[in-house]
């Protein structure tokens, strides 16, 4: 099966965006996680993203005991653990960013603080929306019951937000082309480039970001079976 066949199979299985924001954002998350993998040129990047995600959530355990330090006590959210990854010991799976407890009651509020301040969310969406969907997806996967803690690094959360926005901006780019709207196309391109640059700044290790290059997104969207950007 070639790349386009794989892509078509994935996209045909995707449901068209729903009119309310939460399902639409969930679709963005699906596009970011699954559809990108159909392009073999990006497959290694996505595989690395999933590998780091798997290891991060594998920290879930009731036995985790954290001793508050001065730095930890100064944090504003219960989701912040005050502990950090050590890339020198486990560079393939973690960086030096803080480990965040996905089971904390203020996890969603914390994720909302991670949205970039210099890049707008895609039209029809908001960073708050992306944060809520991201927090919900991690909490559901983390098996948060009792006193369990599920840990994911801050960098993963930040790049997740960027990835979702990148997919939606990609659709805006597609629609701008259909409408022959050069101004909208230019805005979408600039946003996608900015999101990709920010994701790579946060996580320069190859295989850890899932944001889109504008031309790459356009290339994939031209597949006859592509349904990811239906209006």
């Amino acid at each position: 099966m070639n790349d386009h066949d794989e892509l078509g199979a994935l996209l045909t299985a995707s449901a068209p965006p729903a009119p309310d924001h939460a399902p639409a954002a969930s679709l963005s998350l699906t596009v970011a996680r699954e559809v990108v993998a159909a392009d073999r040129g990006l497959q290694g990047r996505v595989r690395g993203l999933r590998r780091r995600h798997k290891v991060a959530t594998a920290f879930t355990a009731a036995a985790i005991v954290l001793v508050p330090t001065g730095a930890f006590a100064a944090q504003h959210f219960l989701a912040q653990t005050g502990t950090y990854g050590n890339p020198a010991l486990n560079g393939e799976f973690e960086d030096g960013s803080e480990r965040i407890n996905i089971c904390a009651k203020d996890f969603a509020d914390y994720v909302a603080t991670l949205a970039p301040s210099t890049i707008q969310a895609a039209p029809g969406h908001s960073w708050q929306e992306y944060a809520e969907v991201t927090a919900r997806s991690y909490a559901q996967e983390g098996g948060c019951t009792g006193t369990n803690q599920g840990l994911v690094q801050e960098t993963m959360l930040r790049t997740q937000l960027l990835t979702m926005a990148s997919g939606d901006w990609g659709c805006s780019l597609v629609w701008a082309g259909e409408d022959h709207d050069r101004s909208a196309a230019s805005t979408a391109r600039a946003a996608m480039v900015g999101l990709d640059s920010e994701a790579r700044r946060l996580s320069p290790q190859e295989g850890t970001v899932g944001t889109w290059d504008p031309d790459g997104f356009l290339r994939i969207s031209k597949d006859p079976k592509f349904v990811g950007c239906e209006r």
Side-chain angles (χ1 to χ4, degrees):
M1 180 179 290
N2 60 35
D3 294 350
H4 291 303
D5 289 337
E6 283 188 326
L7 176 65
L10 285 171
L11 293 177
T12 302
S14 301
D20 56 297
H21 282 180
S26 296
L27 177 61
S28 301
L29 193 59
T30 300
V31 171
R33 286 179 170 174
E34 305 298 339
V35 176
V36 183
D39 184 342
R40 294 188 187 277
L42 298 177
Q43 196 171 53
R45 290 170 56 193
V46 177
R47 185 182 301 115
L49 177 66
R50 288 173 176 164
R51 182 169 59 245
R52 180 177 291 185
H53 181 176
K54 181 178 180 180
V55 172
T57 55
F59 280 106
T60 302
I64 293 178
V65 177
L66 301 175
V67 179
T69 63
F72 173 68
Q75 303 301 319
H76 298 292
F77 293 88
L78 295 174
Q80 294 180 266
T81 66
T83 65
Y84 297 81
N86 188 343
L89 295 178
N90 198 14
E92 184 180 3
F93 297 114
E94 61 183 355
D95 59 21
S97 64
E98 187 174 9
R99 297 187 180 102
I100 306 302
N101 179 14
I102 66 178
C103 297
K105 63 182 181 181
D106 61 0
F107 175 58
D109 293 332
Y110 173 76
V111 175
T113 70
L114 303 180
S117 60
T118 59
I119 307 174
Q120 291 184 338
H125 300 275
S126 68
W127 287 116
Q128 180 64 39
E129 172 195 342
Y130 292 144
E132 291 173 357
V133 174
T134 296
R136 187 163 56 249
S137 70
Y138 273 99
Q140 288 173 344
E141 294 175 11
C144 297
T145 59
T147 58
N148 284 1
Q149 282 191 334
L151 305 183
V152 63
Q153 288 196 269
E154 177 189 314
T155 297
M156 277 294 300
L157 296 171
R158 289 184 182 274
T159 55
Q160 183 79 60
L161 296 176
L162 300 175
T163 296
M164 294 179 68
S166 180
D168 284 329
W169 271 116
C171 287
S172 293
L173 180 61
V174 170
W175 297 331
E178 294 174 351
D179 297 338
H180 305 288
D181 188 335
R182 292 184 179 181
S183 177
S186 178
T187 299
R189 280 184 172 275
M192 294 179 76
V193 169
L195 290 166
D196 191 55
S197 296
E198 176 65 6
R200 291 179 179 278
R201 183 191 70 80
L202 289 168
S203 191
Q205 178 182 330
E206 186 65 22
T208 58
V209 297
T211 45
W212 285 93
D213 167 77
D215 291 324
F217 193 96
L218 284 177
R219 185 182 69 251
I220 295 298
S221 72
K222 292 178 181 177
D223 187 283
K225 298 176 182 178
F226 184 82
V227 297
C229 291
E230 287 188 357
R231 301 203 205 198

